[in-house]
Amino acid sequence: VADVSKVIRFDGQQWEGVPARPYRDSPSGSSGVTRHTLLGQADYEQSLNFLTRYFEVQPGGSTSLEVHRHPHAVVVLRGAGEVVLEGKTHDLRPFDCVYVAPQAVHQFRAGPREPLGFLCVVDRVRDRPTPVELEHPSDVDSRG
Amino acid sequence: VADVSKVIRFDGQQWEGVPARPYRDSPSGSSGVTRHTLLGQADYEQSLNFLTRYFEVQPGGSTSLEVHRHPHAVVVLRGAGEVVLEGKTHDLRPFDCVYVAPQAVHQFRAGPREPLGFLCVVDRVRDRPTPVELEHPSDVDSRG
């Protein structure tokens, strides 16, 4: 398949031709999260060394609390929520950016009434996330 | 400087601590364009192999028509405009995505009354753009 330029239109609800896939729902991990890989699919944009994904966390949902060696570059697109980042919680609103450094424990959470939608760019070749078990969940609730 | 996680807040107009820099204004190149490097600055997020930049093109302005080997992953954040991509012009609205393949001639243009703001992710290590001179400017005005 050729590596050709293209435009992917957003119709107000979703991107044309981009499927929303459930993202690792599990009792101990993420809940209510969909992933949309926008740019960097291996068969189409092979020249990109990084993937541009959009995640949407439904109200009350969250990604799993996890850690990995590869960094994340995140830009919030819609809704409201928060990120737990190395033990501190930060509110998130559209266009806020987050840098998740290597080995930083992190989790994205939607607010109770709004979803949280964000872009997350990662290296195409990267390590797998490791879930983190909290001994004291309240540790991550202190505002910072 | 340590490679540490962080949140960059958007205050509704700009990102805290991120300067807007004029981007190569020239009579033959871009006009009315500012660049904001959000994530991937060498001194702070050294683990990122890619840079997340935000460009804003003022109404009536445009980036230079150019070509390079490195690809672009683009996500529109605000305003309206169009992209010239390999000789075809495509309208752009928020959240539309553009993949600019290697060696594709391209130019981003804001509409007459609205700016065009977009994220553009690129490899940290990349070749320099080469400006393209049009013999027949009308060639890029056909809709596709």
Side-chain angles (χ1 to χ4, degrees):
Chain A
V1 182
D3 195 342
V4 294
S5 298
K6 70 174 175 183
V7 175
I8 305 174
R9 296 200 180 283
F10 183 76
D11 69 7
Q13 296 291 326
Q14 55 190 344
W15 287 272
E16 291 177 6
V18 177
R21 302 188 188 284
Y23 186 63
R24 291 186 294 158
D25 271 356
S26 78
S28 61
S30 62
S31 62
V33 182
T34 54
R35 175 176 53 178
H36 313 235
T37 300
L38 299 175
L39 293 170
Q41 295 273 21
D43 291 346
Y44 299 100
E45 298 98 28
Q46 306 164 53
S47 299
L48 288 171
N49 296 317
F50 48 83
L51 309 186
T52 303
R53 299 101 42 92
Y54 173 76
F55 290 87
E56 193 160 289
V57 184
Q58 292 313 300
S62 65
T63 63
S64 62
L65 186 74
E66 64 183 32
V67 66
H68 39 69
R69 287 195 306 276
H70 65 273
H72 281 323
V74 168
V75 181
V76 177
L77 291 193
R78 65 177 295 236
E82 57 190 27
V83 60
V84 177
L85 198 56
E86 304 190 58
K88 291 188 177 174
T89 303
H90 308 263
D91 286 336
L92 293 179
R93 281 288 180 179
F95 298 2
D96 287 344
C97 299
V98 183
Y99 173 56
V100 180
Q103 304 294 4
V105 177
H106 61 283
Q107 180 180 47
F108 290 88
R109 302 168 171 173
R113 282 171 298 275
E114 286 185 86
L116 177 68
F118 57 91
L119 297 171
C120 178
V121 186
V122 291
D123 287 328
R124 180 187 295 281
V125 178
R126 61 195 185 282
D127 62 319
R128 293 186 70 86
T130 302
V132 174
E133 297 290 335
L134 275 189
E135 287 189 37
H136 305 287
S138 64
D139 286 354
V140 299
D141 287 327
S142 57
R143 294 274 151 169
Chain B
V1 181
D3 195 343
V4 294
S5 298
K6 70 174 174 183
V7 175
I8 305 174
R9 296 199 179 282
F10 183 75
D11 69 8
Q13 296 291 326
Q14 56 189 343
W15 287 272
E16 290 176 7
V18 177
R21 301 189 190 284
Y23 185 62
R24 291 187 292 156
D25 271 358
S26 77
S28 62
S30 63
S31 63
V33 182
T34 53
R35 175 176 53 179
H36 315 235
T37 301
L38 299 175
L39 294 169
Q41 295 274 21
D43 290 348
Y44 299 99
E45 298 98 28
Q46 306 164 54
S47 298
L48 288 171
N49 296 317
F50 48 84
L51 308 185
T52 303
R53 299 100 43 93
Y54 172 76
F55 290 87
E56 194 161 289
V57 184
Q58 291 314 299
S62 65
T63 63
S64 62
L65 186 73
E66 65 184 32
V67 67
H68 39 69
R69 287 194 306 275
H70 65 272
H72 282 322
V74 168
V75 181
V76 176
L77 291 193
R78 67 177 294 236
E82 58 191 26
V83 60
V84 176
L85 199 55
E86 305 191 58
K88 290 187 177 174
T89 303
H90 307 263
D91 286 336
L92 292 178
R93 283 288 181 179
F95 298 2
D96 286 344
C97 300
V98 183
Y99 173 55
V100 180
Q103 305 295 2
V105 177
H106 61 283
Q107 180 181 46
F108 290 87
R109 302 167 172 174
R113 284 172 296 278
E114 286 186 86
L116 178 68
F118 57 91
L119 298 171
C120 178
V121 186
V122 290
D123 286 329
R124 181 187 295 281
V125 178
R126 63 193 184 283
D127 62 321
R128 292 186 70 84
T130 301
V132 174
E133 296 290 335
L134 274 190
E135 286 189 39
H136 305 287
S138 62
D139 286 355
V140 299
D141 287 326
S142 58
R143 293 275 150 168

